[in-house]
Amino acid sequence: MSKINESRIARLVLVITLFFGSFFILNFALKIWIGTFTTSAYTKTVFNIEHCFSLVILTGIIYIYLRIVFYIYNEMKTLGYHKNNEKHHQAVFKADESYNEILKSIVGSLKWIIISMLVMSLIYFFTIKDGVVFFFWCLLGALVLFFIISFLIKEKIIYQSRVFDRGVKLVRRNSIFIYLLILVAFFSVILTLLAFNIDKRVEFQTDKESHRVIVTAYNLNNIDISIEINNENNGNSKFFKMNDFLSYHGVIEVMNDSKSPVMGSNNTSDNMNYQIDKYKKVEKFELDLSEDLIEGKNNLDVIITDIDESDNYLMHLNIVIIKQGDKLILTDDHIKIEL
């Protein structure tokens, strides 16, 4: 085996080792991303500085990992059999190019992360600090802009007639990162929307002492309940609709004491940190059946539906209640269904 092949294999082994060895970094970034977008939202802006940080950091790490995967794939192709030297050289060239792209992706991701941190920091200070600090940051920004323009003039970039083309090339160079950023942002929004729908369930309970049935709905917007009672002894039936129930409603919302500004406003109370994971909406419906359950076997047909999606039953139960004097006998007095 030639020294070149040995060095290529050593490089491949090193990259694979680092890839799997640093997997905890991706796992850590995923946990932060999921935790941020499923537990926190803001009353005015929905998303805020911490969401942007976690979004850019996760995108950068995924971008680097994709480049590593591409390199491993291309490098493995150099180890295979090739019919002629031209194809082998093409495979080697692609592998070397992919390896260089790993280094470029690391530098590029770090640049994106640093730039986003600077931008978010500027927004933060511009919106919550007093006029002195605002003036300081404006002055600093003006100095930075001055040095950038001076550099462009010195390098004769600003006078180029094809400045627009340079901008297009810059976008193309970062197109994969931008696509990934948009894709991760899309899934971030979905993740937050799904977080509001967590822990949806319906409970049906029969109180043997008070002869009441209790329906409890958690985090559901609009439900409908109907109960039909059939007695086998006399063949009579009774039907109960939603307006026959006593209803109780409650909502638990937790706002974090930490506040974040809205761009263009100095009032931090405008944008409260809303704790998604602690939100809970509870609706309880009670129906007294003490005069409707008669001696013997009573068949209850219970239908609970979501009005917004009337085609789907949330719960359809057939319950047998045997009444013996003041005593109720049934197989299950507390039924829970997770949705």
Side-chain angles (χ1 to χ4, degrees):
M1 185 180 291
S2 65
K3 290 183 178 180
I4 296 177
N5 286 338
E6 288 180 358
S7 64
R8 299 191 72 86
I9 293 173
R11 185 176 71 178
L12 177 61
V13 171
L14 177 63
V15 171
I16 292 175
T17 303
L18 291 174
F19 176 75
F20 288 103
S22 61
F23 205 74
F24 72 92
I25 297 176
L26 178 61
N27 184 48
F28 181 70
L30 280 170
K31 286 183 178 178
I32 293 177
W33 174 68
I34 293 172
T36 302
F37 281 91
T38 57
T39 61
S40 176
Y42 285 81
T43 54
K44 285 273 179 105
T45 59
V46 182
F47 302 122
N48 221 289
I49 294 174
E50 64 269 27
H51 297 88
C52 296
F53 284 163
S54 63
L55 176 65
V56 175
I57 290 172
L58 179 63
T59 303
I61 293 173
I62 292 175
Y63 181 49
I64 294 170
Y65 268 75
L66 284 177
R67 286 299 184 187
I68 292 174
V69 171
F70 290 153
Y71 162 72
I72 294 173
Y73 171 75
N74 289 324
E75 190 67 72
M76 293 294 289
K77 288 174 69 175
T78 66
L79 304 177
Y81 172 76
H82 298 278
K83 292 181 180 180
N84 53 60
N85 289 331
E86 185 180 351
K87 288 188 176 181
H88 178 71
H89 288 317
Q90 287 178 356
V92 170
F93 176 78
K94 285 184 178 179
D96 291 337
E97 194 177 46
S98 298
Y99 181 75
N100 292 330
E101 287 296 330
I102 294 176
L103 303 178
K104 290 180 182 178
S105 68
I106 294 172
V107 175
S109 297
L110 287 174
K111 285 181 180 178
W112 277 92
I113 292 170
I114 291 170
I115 289 172
S116 65
M117 290 178 68
L118 288 174
V119 171
M120 290 300 106
S121 298
L122 287 172
I123 292 174
Y124 181 79
F125 280 105
F126 282 178
T127 50
I128 69 168
K129 298 300 179 181
D130 54 25
V132 176
V133 178
F134 179 82
F135 174 77
F136 169 77
W137 280 102
C138 285
L139 180 62
L140 182 62
L143 289 173
V144 171
L145 185 62
F146 171 77
F147 283 116
I148 291 174
I149 294 174
S150 300
F151 172 77
L152 294 175
I153 293 174
K154 183 180 178 181
E155 297 296 324
K156 298 181 180 181
I157 295 174
I158 201 168
Y159 294 112
Q160 295 287 340
S161 60
R162 303 179 67 183
V163 173
F164 178 77
D165 292 339
R166 289 175 178 269
V168 172
K169 289 179 181 178
L170 181 65
V171 172
R172 286 177 178 174
R173 261 201 318 270
N174 296 277
S175 59
I176 296 177
F177 187 93
I178 294 171
Y179 291 149
L180 281 174
L181 186 66
I182 295 172
L183 188 63
V184 176
F186 174 74
F187 283 109
S188 299
V189 174
I190 292 177
L191 198 64
T192 301
L193 292 175
L194 290 175
F196 281 99
N197 296 322
I198 291 176
D199 193 28
K200 282 188 174 183
R201 67 181 190 273
V202 178
E203 297 182 4
F204 184 87
Q205 186 175 0
T206 305
D207 192 328
K208 295 180 180 179
E209 295 182 359
S210 64
H211 297 188
R212 289 174 176 266
V213 293
I214 304 167
V215 177
T216 308
Y218 295 90
N219 300 326
L220 291 168
N221 293 326
N222 204 0
I223 68 169
D224 183 68
I225 308 170
S226 64
I227 296 178
E228 185 177 3
I229 303 176
N230 294 291
N231 185 266
E232 290 191 355
N233 290 343
N234 56 22
N236 292 335
S237 63
K238 291 186 178 181
F239 190 78
F240 300 93
K241 294 183 179 181
M242 195 68 181
N243 54 8
D244 297 317
F245 288 80
L246 291 174
S247 60
Y248 308 91
H249 305 269
V251 176
I252 299 173
E253 293 180 326
V254 179
M255 302 288 184
N256 201 319
D257 288 337
S258 61
K259 301 169 186 176
S260 185
V262 179
M263 190 63 178
S265 172
N266 291 323
N267 186 3
T268 57
S269 64
D270 287 343
N271 207 24
M272 296 288 291
N273 188 348
Y274 184 85
Q275 300 297 296
I276 302 174
D277 56 329
K278 295 178 182 177
Y279 171 83
K280 184 179 289 186
K281 179 182 178 182
V282 182
E283 291 182 295
K284 184 175 286 190
F285 306 91
E286 293 186 4
L287 180 63
D288 188 357
L289 299 178
S290 57
E291 297 181 358
D292 303 293
L293 295 173
I294 62 176
E295 197 73 16
K297 189 176 181 181
N298 299 270
N299 296 311
L300 271 69
D301 188 41
V302 182
I303 297 176
I304 304 173
T305 58
D306 188 345
I307 293 177
D308 297 329
E309 298 181 12
S310 57
D311 293 337
N312 297 321
Y313 290 122
L314 295 176
M315 185 182 286
H316 188 182
L317 304 173
N318 290 299
I319 302 172
V320 176
I321 299 177
I322 300 175
K323 184 178 181 182
Q324 296 178 350
D326 292 332
K327 185 179 179 181
L328 296 183
I329 301 174
L330 63 161
T331 54
D332 194 347
D333 61 352
H334 196 171
I335 300 170
K336 299 179 183 180
I337 293 183
E338 301 285 343
L339 303 174

